[in-house]
Amino acid sequence: MTVGEMLVATVPMARTLNLEFLETTAERAVVRLPDQAEYHNHVGGPHAGAMFTLAESASGAIVIAAFGDQMSRAVPLAVKAEIGYKKLAMGEVTATATLGRPIADVVAQLDAGERPEFPVAIEIQRADGAVTGEMTVVWTLRPNS
């Protein structure tokens, strides 16, 4: 099962929004929100809440891809998120997530008995390539007690 398939199977909001996990590697995660009228806002584009969920889902996908081998000893948790809506989004939108710290540095902190935090940067784009939003989610790996 791929990371995307696992997230669709276990995260109800990913299924509800029909998110499409196009790429899920430790280097990058790309997730698409299809154009769906039931998730439009008052101007006919994707609702801000749907775009937030899209971006957060992309961040979760890269975290699982990058740190899946650590799940037996730590649980990934989102600590905080900040989003900026830059341009009007219309039609389908795609979120691309990248890690803000090297994997080895995060794992070294975990190895030292610490609870590492690390940012994931996400860019949301329309089909024409215009960036409509930017989001940062700070994640942690909480060691299992």
Side-chain angles (χ1 to χ4, degrees):
M1 184 179 279
T2 68
V3 170
E5 290 168 341
M6 186 211 41
L7 287 171
V8 169
T10 60
V11 179
M13 279 302 294
R15 276 192 316 277
T16 297
L17 291 178
N18 300 305
L19 297 182
E20 300 168 0
F21 291 82
L22 306 177
E23 181 181 338
T24 52
T25 69
E27 290 75 38
R28 175 175 118 123
V30 181
V31 183
R32 180 172 43 225
L33 173 66
D35 186 22
Q36 302 164 88
E38 60 270 31
Y39 302 116
H40 282 179
N41 58 21
H42 63 289
V43 293
H47 189 278
M51 288 190 294
F52 183 99
T53 302
L54 166 70
E56 194 276 339
S57 297
S59 77
I62 199 169
V63 168
I64 291 172
F67 301 107
D69 60 341
Q70 303 300 319
M71 297 302 162
S72 63
R73 66 181 184 143
V75 175
L77 298 169
V79 175
K80 62 183 174 180
E82 184 175 339
I83 192 166
Y85 301 101
K86 307 292 183 186
K87 289 185 179 183
L88 185 62
M90 298 298 282
E92 72 176 35
V93 288
T94 303
T96 302
T98 55
L99 284 177
R101 283 185 64 196
I103 294 168
D105 291 355
V106 174
V107 172
Q109 242 188 307
L110 191 60
D111 289 342
E114 299 173 22
R115 183 175 168 166
E117 288 190 1
F118 52 94
V120 175
I122 308 100
E123 201 172 72
I124 304 168
Q125 293 182 313
R126 296 187 305 227
D128 68 2
V131 175
T132 63
E134 296 173 337
M135 183 172 180
T136 300
V137 180
V138 175
W139 286 82
T140 188
L141 295 179
R142 185 191 72 199
N144 297 334
S145 300

